[in-house]
Amino acid sequence: MITTYTEALNFIHGRDQFKKAPTLDRMRHFMALLGNPQDKLTMIHVAGTNGKGSTVAFLRDLLMADGQTVGTFTSPFITRFNERISTDGQPIGDDELIQLVNRVPPVVAQLDAELDTKGPTEFEIDTALMFCYFAAHPVDVVVVEVGLGGLYDSTNIITPAISVITTIGLDHMRILGDTIPEIAHQKAGIIKAQVPVVCGRLSPDALAVMDQTAQTKQTQVVALGRDFDVTNQPEDQWGERFTYQYQAFQYQRLQIDLLGQYQIDNAATALTAFIQFQQLQHGQVVAATIRRGLAHTAWPGRFERLTTQPLIAIDGAHNEPAMVELAQLLHRHFATNEVYIILAVLADKQYTKMVHTLLTLPNVHLIVTQFNGPANRVVATPSELEDVVTTHDRISMAKDWPTALQQALRQMSAEDLLLLTGSLYFISEVRHYFKDDDPADANSKGR
């Protein structure tokens, strides 16, 4: 019997991280023993290399603005584990989580005994908890974020109302493949028979995989840049403004509070999925609802302002495609400012490319450092990071990120920007520091 929040987290985080073989058989067996709660839910499924979390947030707020109750399943969390399972943006309570977790150990023990490959992994348990929770606490729709890949992700036992694929880039290559088409094939695994598919801004070779997969599933892809489009309408203030066009739906000067062209793309992708979902559900698509939902969306850790004087922000860019987008954001919004970046990265990322990408901006001053990191992941050390650009005069090293923070604050002026980035785990640690949140379960995210 699990009686405390800490015991509940210890049970979840005590499981293996990854599957022993690429299959959904164990997850299906697991859910069958729990009564297949996922079959009771109306869901939207969101996959992609980057942009999943922001797209989920935009979708949630669009649906809530329409008056619907919305469950979300996201990962990793930024502050506390509970964020992964939320209703209308409110995380599951500690007591509810304890009760929920108590349903699972007997089934896990049974599967451990039955299966040569052992029972469910940590993320399979996370997913099962979510399905059980929303089956017992019904909402109008659950927006489910894929954990890793798509084809063999534990969330992929569902048949959603809409499938969404945000972006395709080179990440998790050891697991998903070394090329864009290989990774696209994994992401396209969430496409189901006759279920509409909405894609973000994909490269031609990635989109070709989506179209081909959709054809075999007797469905159709609606893609950003081909079937719906956006035009940036920049203004000299925080946030982004843009036009949107899809079929007969045309909107001028939509506003979001998140920075970056990629956030415009994420908002447009979410909006298209919202429109398609409303049409399937015979719901309304109202301009005022759309404007209210998009303007309301916030997503912690995505170019989030922590302080304004001095201007300090955090961003969860944790791979090379995200770092390219971040560099574009900095060029567009902060070209006339000096930008101090504190970078800390997990060791399995392409940190050489990430450093070089940031240093293409002439106004960037880079301090490479490290953070505590989750127990199961190795963090790149400052010396490893600094070795990638040994002779550059705009890169320096600090033994840890609080030291780097003090170093940057001493160097920067009132007009400069300080950005901490490189890993969602890292910015979670930073956010605890600035927001004075409860650090009880920081860096124990699992995935």
Side-chain angles (χ1 to χ4, degrees), residues 346 371-379 423 425-426 442-446:
L346 291 175
F371 62 107
N372 290 333
N376 60 310
R377 303 292 293 274
V378 178
V379 176
S423 164
Y425 297 102
F426 171 44
N443 293 321
S444 56
K445 300 177 181 62

Side-chain angles (χ1 to χ4, degrees), residues 102-269:
N102 271 302
R103 289 192 57 184
V104 173
V107 178
V108 171
Q110 178 181 338
L111 290 172
D112 280 345
E114 285 181 13
L115 302 176
D116 292 337
T117 57
K118 295 188 178 180
T121 64
E122 176 178 343
F123 192 70
E124 288 172 337
I125 289 173
D126 294 342
T127 306
L129 292 173
M130 176 269 295
F131 288 145
C132 290
Y133 181 75
F134 288 121
H137 301 81
V139 293
D140 293 316
V141 57
V142 184
V143 186
V144 176
E145 179 185 341
V146 167
L148 178 64
L151 182 61
Y152 297 113
D153 188 77
S154 60
T155 63
N156 202 32
I157 61 169
I158 69 174
T159 300
I162 305 283
S163 298
V164 180
I165 299 165
T166 58
T167 61
I168 305 293
L170 296 175
D171 195 22
H172 298 294
M173 291 179 288
R174 181 175 58 85
I175 300 169
L176 302 181
D178 295 327
T179 68
I180 291 295
E182 286 176 333
I183 294 172
H185 172 73
Q186 293 291 323
K187 309 292 185 185
I190 73 164
I191 297 175
K192 302 297 195 304
Q194 299 180 347
V195 173
V197 184
V198 177
C199 288
R201 197 178 297 279
L202 304 186
S203 62
D205 51 351
L207 184 55
V209 173
M210 299 303 155
D211 285 332
Q212 184 178 13
T213 305
Q215 186 175 10
T216 65
K217 300 289 186 178
Q218 297 180 299
T219 188
Q220 192 170 5
V221 171
V222 173
L224 176 57
R226 183 183 70 185
D227 306 297
F228 64 100
D229 218 338
V230 291
T231 303
N232 190 0
Q233 297 178 304
E235 288 188 5
D236 188 22
Q237 56 182 295
W238 195 272
E240 302 284 0
R241 272 138 297 279
F242 61 97
T243 64
Y244 170 89
Q245 190 275 323
Y246 168 55
Q247 296 179 347
F249 300 97
Q250 299 187 34
Y251 304 106
Q252 294 284 332
R253 305 192 69 74
L254 294 176
Q255 181 171 336
I256 58 175
D257 196 45
L258 301 178
L259 279 179
Q261 175 64 44
Y262 55 93
Q263 295 295 9
I264 295 176
D265 290 354
N266 293 336
T269 303

